[in-house]
Each structure stands twice: as C-alpha cells, then as structure tokens.
Amino acid sequence: MENTTSPERELDPVSEQRTVLRTRHSHALAALMEARADLRGVNAWADFVDDAVRWSA
C-alpha cells in the first residue's frame, strides 16, 4: 500500500498554526502599543510590527 501523506500535507497544519499565532501576536502587540504610548521606542522590532499593522489596516 502506498503512503498518501506527503511532507507538504504534514507541514500544512504547522504552517497554518504559525499564521494564526503571528496574526494573534501582531494584533495583541498593536493593542498594547496603542494603550501604552510610552512603550514606543523601547524595542525596535515592536515598533516595526506596530507600524506594519497600522499600514496594513
């Protein structure tokens, strides 16, 4: 019997989960940065993600 499970199919749920987590974390970070303006400038990556979320809205 032939194995019908391909590596692409096995990785698909992992890829989907990463996308969901990335979206959730980006949203949470944007909400945090909106609530706490004093955090701007503390972490360059957080500033970058916050700006990216704002530009994509």
Side-chain angles (χ1 to χ4, degrees):
M1 191 180 317
E2 199 173 306
N3 186 0
T4 59
T5 305
S6 68
E8 291 83 16
R9 285 188 173 199
E10 289 177 12
L11 293 177
D12 204 31
V14 173
S15 177
E16 185 176 328
Q17 184 181 16
R18 285 182 181 161
T19 301
V20 169
L21 286 174
R22 185 178 303 121
T23 302
R24 185 184 313 157
H25 291 158
S26 296
H27 177 70
L29 178 62
L32 175 65
M33 296 296 278
E34 185 176 332
R36 296 274 315 269
D38 60 314
L39 293 177
R40 174 131 328 251
V42 173
N43 184 291
W45 184 247
D47 292 346
F48 174 79
V49 172
D50 184 43
D51 290 339
V53 169
R54 291 174 191 269
W55 278 100
S56 66

